[in-house]
Amino acid sequence: MDSSRPDLPDDEAEWRERLSEEEYRVLREQGTEPRFSGEHVDRTDDGTYVCAGCGTELFDSETKYESGCGWPSFYDVDDDRIEKRTDTSLGMQRTEVVCANCGGHLGHVFEDGPEPTGKRYCINSVALDFEEE
Ligand SMILES: [Zn+2]
């Protein structure tokens, strides 16, 4: 076992205990926080954004940019840390981004981001904890 990561809950009841109500709604029920409501939307500090569910390091502040969409936006991520899934909810075809370690819902990725990747990882603040450098 990888001892550097905390143990993951065995079931949804345990997730409910570990997470706040809002974290649970987003991470475990594919919820979305209201635009411009999240604590990380305007954050410009140097540091690392980790999964609020399991602590896995996900996004570097150097890849965060101002997209104007109302959610923290990043143009790059280590592909080993996330999984992408097709999401056809709400009558749209989108690509969902989940934490590869705990399966928590993070947000979506779109193809309208800046160079060099052209990606916009549109991520819920509540799905992320910020660790200052
Ligand atoms: Zn996670």
Side-chain angles (χ1 to χ4, degrees):
M1 258 187 78
D2 184 346
S3 60
S4 68
R5 286 172 175 164
D7 290 340
L8 292 176
D10 296 322
D11 55 31
E12 289 305 307
E14 214 175 307
W15 274 117
R16 264 187 203 282
E17 253 171 56
R18 181 186 290 198
L19 301 174
S20 74
E21 210 170 295
E22 184 68 358
E23 286 171 344
Y24 187 87
R25 196 180 69 78
V26 171
L27 286 164
R28 310 305 306 174
E29 299 183 323
Q30 284 76 43
T32 299
E33 70 195 10
R35 295 180 73 196
F36 297 107
S37 72
E39 62 172 324
H40 303 313
V41 176
D42 296 322
R43 185 186 292 284
T44 55
D45 310 296
D46 290 337
T48 304
Y49 293 85
V50 308
C51 175
C54 70
T56 296
E57 293 185 5
L58 295 172
F59 298 97
D60 193 297
S61 61
E62 284 185 16
T63 69
K64 189 173 189 292
Y65 74 102
E66 184 52 62
S67 71
C69 76
W71 293 277
S73 300
F74 305 87
Y75 63 76
D76 203 8
V77 67
D78 182 340
D79 275 326
D80 294 341
R81 306 286 171 91
I82 58 146
E83 282 175 18
K84 295 175 184 171
R85 297 177 184 165
T86 301
D87 174 7
T88 55
S89 66
L90 306 176
M92 292 183 273
Q93 169 111 10
R94 295 180 294 173
T95 303
E96 179 190 6
V97 178
V98 305
C99 172
N101 185 45
C102 74
H105 171 79
L106 303 171
H108 292 87
V109 59
F110 301 94
E111 302 294 327
D112 57 9
E115 294 298 318
T117 63
K119 306 277 190 213
R120 170 168 57 97
Y121 291 89
C122 182
I123 306 298
N124 291 282
S125 287
V126 77
L128 300 172
D129 285 332
F130 180 71
E131 291 181 355
E132 211 163 330
E133 222 152 65

